[in-house]
Amino acid sequence: MDMAFTQVCLWTLLAFVLTWTIFHVTNMKKKAAKLVDVAAGERRDGGADVIIVGAGVGGSALAYALAKDGRQVHVIERDMRQPERMMGEFMQPGGRLLLSKLGLQDCLEGIDAQIATGLAVYKDGKEAVAPFPVEDNNFPYEPSARTFHNGRFVQRLRQKASSLPNVRLEEGTVKSLIEEKGVIKGVTYKNSSGEETTAFAPLTVVCDGCYSNLRRSLNDNNAEVLSYTVGYISKNCQLEDPERLKLIMSKPSFTMLYQISSTDVRCLTELFPGNIPSMANGEMADFFKNSIAPQVPQNLRKVFLKGIEEGAQIKAMPTKRMDATLSEKKGVIVLGDAFNMRHPVVASGMMVLLSDVLILRRLLQPLANLGDANKISEVIKSFYVIRKPMSATVNTLGNAFSQVLIASTDEAREAMRQGCYDYLTSGGFRTSGLMALLGGMNPRPLSLIFHLCAITLSSIGQLLSPFPSPLSIWHSLRLFGLSMKMLVPHLKAEGVSQMLSPSYAIAYRKSYMATTAL
Ligand SMILES: Cc1cc2nc3c(=O)[nH]c(=O)nc-3n(C[C@H](O)[C@H](O)[C@H](O)COP(=O)(O)OP(=O)(O)OC[C@H]3O[C@@H](n4cnc5c(N)ncnc54)[C@H](O)[C@@H]3O)c2cc1C
Ligand SMILES: *[C@@H]1O[C@H](CO)[C@@H](O)[C@H](O)[C@H]1NC(C)=O
């Protein structure tokens, strides 16, 4: 497409976005933050400074970080056995940087984790690679990802946390939060001998994952189920070119293959409610064999079919989206999947969570005790803003990318899907820009908006070439509408000023991603 035309379109689009923003910002409700006076909490029980519910990725990392700062930490985890689950198997380069800033980088060692240097993308018989940028001067860490068995990683994090003398990691199932006058004082839980008991601490952190029960007593935030991720492991095999995650732009949506150990390959696809074959009677295995496998490129198909033919257990996980909201209750912090979820296609939940843990650690560091509920409330409010560059970028990218990847007979949607493939695999600044965003190497919402607009415009360019017809103009307008629909609700949900003001992103990078940052 003609460069000048692209430029004009880009500027028009930016002007549109900015006008809309200014309009919105001036209309923003100013919520007066009323701080109820609550006496500084005391350390009851002679026990912990903080109770953490759940020793998954988030709970374990936070326990380690807070204990390193001298806090007494009591972690209560329902099931101490190694989790066997299909989630959190891909750690982005940005996530690895954050892990190392928390002193937890060695948890990716000794678990047969595999290196991933980027994507191999397949669409309609074509194939191209999209590497993480290696010459990004802004990213002070080795620009590769790691893939692994999630349970092995979680076990390493738990070991690392409980190796500190001031962490008490106990098996138990938390039943409810203990509340007095709007302040959370502790939890009731069933301990390993099956007895109901209580624990008190000035601060409670709820990090009980995507099926969180406790979240419901703190806010009315509801998770939306977008689709299901269905997959299995092909054992004793290796992918060709194993350092690239294989992303196949298949129907009805994407299919992925990636090496999660030197011998195991994860195979998965996305399916939508109402169209899910039964697992119990073998329909699902047939579906993988007959509907998905033929769409998998020849050189990957053998590995893809291996698991199915060997009767691997097929698992399904709901893919959920939930925006972050603050709880009115005091003395409590909600974290991880209990707090905020995005579509897992961008494989970034753990990265956002590690970023959140690092931010919270930093904000809590200056507090002599964690019992001042008002101070904690202030910390949570700052946390909510500081996390935006990372969380808003990832959440918006996850939403947009997942929608684009859904196959459709609608020409406008299909043009966008093709446009996305072309853009991602075109090489140069488009590929490196998008991959830096995906890898968490450049958590800048503005940069994301730029690339989304550029994808939209180049897709429109394709639709209109070589000659615009009334029909193609109509499809172009709809495509433009579609892309606005992907962006605008997120600008609203994540906060317009946080997403469009570059200062937040600069501050984030300086504090959390620079070589000099702790
Ligand atoms: C299909 C899918 C794929 C994903 N892929 C990726 C990926 O590739 N990369 C990535 O970064 N992210 C990915 N994610 C997201 C990522 O897995 C999550 O964001 C992350 O695991 C959340 O960590 P968490 O600590 O909040 O929860 P979890 O790691 O789930 O930990 C919660 C813990 O709380 C415990 N618990 C629950 N209830 C109680 C209770 N009442 N009492 C005591 N303990 C309790 C549980 O046993 C568990 O150990 C994916 C998500 C999905 C759904
Ligand atoms: C479980 O709780 C009860 C009651 O508080 C206590 O007596 C018992 O020792 C606890 N069991 C364990 C294993 O901690």
Side-chain angles (χ1 to χ4, degrees), residues 168-239:
R168 178 174 165 218
L169 176 54
E170 185 189 5
E171 191 161 61
T173 303
V174 173
K175 297 291 176 191
S176 61
L177 300 170
I178 300 168
E179 186 183 334
E180 267 172 38
K181 299 191 195 119
V183 184
I184 302 300
K185 300 283 184 179
V187 299
T188 60
Y189 67 107
K190 209 171 226 170
N191 71 11
S192 55
S193 37
E195 280 179 81
E196 191 116 335
T197 175
T198 52
F200 294 93
L203 178 64
T204 302
V205 179
V206 172
C207 199
D208 56 350
C210 60
Y211 300 111
S212 174
N213 285 322
L214 299 175
R215 169 184 90 217
R216 282 179 247 286
S217 60
L218 295 170
N219 59 47
D220 51 9
N221 206 353
N222 264 324
E224 180 190 353
V225 175
L226 302 167
S227 62
Y228 290 85
T229 304
V230 188
Y232 56 88
I233 295 173
S234 285
K235 295 211 158 121
N236 301 316
C237 54
Q238 259 222 327
L239 286 166

Side-chain angles (χ1 to χ4, degrees), residues 53-59 76-79 85-90 150 158 172-174 207-210 214 229 258 317-319 335-338 342 344 347-351 353:
V53 182
V57 177
I76 305 172
E77 163 59 44
R78 182 170 57 190
D79 188 350
R85 51 186 195 176
M86 183 178 59
M87 64 193 293
E89 297 174 330
F90 193 95
N150 173 273
R158 287 174 180 171
T173 303
V174 173
C207 199
D208 56 350
C210 60
L214 299 175
T229 304
Y258 50 94
M317 282 292 292
T319 62
L335 205 59
D337 280 1
R342 78 289 311 151
S348 296
M350 297 186 296
M351 175 169 72
L353 180 45

Side-chain angles (χ1 to χ4, degrees), residues 96 99-100 103-114 141-142 146-148 152-153 155-157 159-160:
R96 288 180 58 227
L99 206 57
S100 84
L104 294 167
Q105 68 277 18
D106 54 341
C107 294
L108 286 175
E109 286 157 21
I111 58 171
D112 197 18
Q114 304 294 300
Y141 205 68
E142 192 222 327
R146 291 291 181 276
T147 51
F148 43 82
R152 296 181 189 169
F153 176 56
Q155 259 353 46
R156 292 280 288 125
L157 289 171
Q159 279 162 12
K160 183 97 180 181

Side-chain angles (χ1 to χ4, degrees), residues 119-416:
L119 309 177
V121 196
Y122 303 82
K123 184 174 190 294
D124 306 326
K126 282 202 191 137
E127 140 176 25
V129 295
F132 291 118
V134 282
E135 275 159 43
D136 190 329
N137 297 329
N138 287 319
F139 185 69
Y141 205 68
E142 192 222 327
S144 66
R146 291 291 181 276
T147 51
F148 43 82
H149 282 271
N150 173 273
R152 296 181 189 169
F153 176 56
V154 169
Q155 259 353 46
R156 292 280 288 125
L157 289 171
R158 287 174 180 171
Q159 279 162 12
K160 183 97 180 181
S162 55
S163 72
L164 299 178
N166 46 339
V167 172
R168 178 174 165 218
L169 176 54
E170 185 189 5
E171 191 161 61
T173 303
V174 173
K175 297 291 176 191
S176 61
L177 300 170
I178 300 168
E179 186 183 334
E180 267 172 38
K181 299 191 195 119
V183 184
I184 302 300
K185 300 283 184 179
V187 299
T188 60
Y189 67 107
K190 209 171 226 170
N191 71 11
S192 55
S193 37
E195 280 179 81
E196 191 116 335
T197 175
T198 52
F200 294 93
L203 178 64
T204 302
V205 179
V206 172
C207 199
D208 56 350
C210 60
Y211 300 111
S212 174
N213 285 322
L214 299 175
R215 169 184 90 217
R216 282 179 247 286
S217 60
L218 295 170
N219 59 47
D220 51 9
N221 206 353
N222 264 324
E224 180 190 353
V225 175
L226 302 167
S227 62
Y228 290 85
T229 304
V230 188
Y232 56 88
I233 295 173
S234 285
K235 295 211 158 121
N236 301 316
C237 54
Q238 259 222 327
L239 286 166
E240 208 177 286
D241 187 18
E243 291 195 1
R244 294 205 170 93
L245 180 146
K246 320 294 181 212
L247 172 65
I248 304 159
M249 294 174 83
S250 53
K251 290 170 188 165
S253 185
F254 66 89
T255 299
M256 277 183 191
L257 284 86
Y258 50 94
Q259 199 80 38
I260 54 170
S261 78
S262 49
T263 55
D264 296 343
V265 174
R266 166 65 70 197
C267 306
L268 59 80
T269 196
E270 179 180 47
L271 295 175
F272 298 96
N275 254 323
I276 310 219
S278 152
M279 304 244 202
N281 64 10
E283 272 176 26
M284 185 64 91
D286 289 343
F287 176 80
F288 269 106
K289 209 185 285 176
N290 303 328
S291 297
I292 304 293
Q295 303 185 65
V296 172
Q298 200 82 49
N299 60 332
L300 307 173
R301 203 174 293 161
K302 207 170 142 211
V303 169
F304 188 80
L305 283 169
K306 192 164 190 282
I308 289 293
E309 277 155 9
E310 290 173 0
Q313 188 197 0
I314 302 178
K315 290 186 179 170
M317 282 292 292
T319 62
K320 297 180 184 175
R321 174 191 160 186
M322 187 177 76
D323 294 330
T325 47
L326 291 177
S327 168
E328 299 284 303
K329 305 276 161 69
K330 287 170 182 272
V332 65
I333 295 175
V334 191
L335 205 59
D337 280 1
F339 175 55
N340 187 198
M341 286 183 274
R342 78 289 311 151
H343 197 291
V345 67
V346 286
S348 296
M350 297 186 296
M351 175 169 72
V352 175
L353 180 45
L354 291 169
S355 165
D356 284 353
V357 168
L358 192 62
I359 295 168
L360 272 178
R361 176 210 194 152
R362 213 52 95 69
L363 290 172
L364 292 173
Q365 252 163 5
L367 305 188
N369 77 59
L370 303 179
D372 185 336
N374 287 330
K375 277 242 174 70
I376 297 287
S377 295
E378 279 165 33
V379 160
I380 297 173
K381 279 192 194 121
S382 314
F383 162 66
Y384 192 73
V385 175
I386 296 172
R387 71 189 291 274
K388 283 293 174 178
M390 178 58 92
S391 64
T393 305
V394 167
N395 294 349
T396 309
L397 184 64
N399 184 53
F401 201 36
S402 64
Q403 287 189 42
V404 166
L405 287 175
I406 301 172
S408 169
T409 48
D410 177 338
E411 265 183 69
R413 280 185 176 276
E414 202 43 46
M416 187 88 179

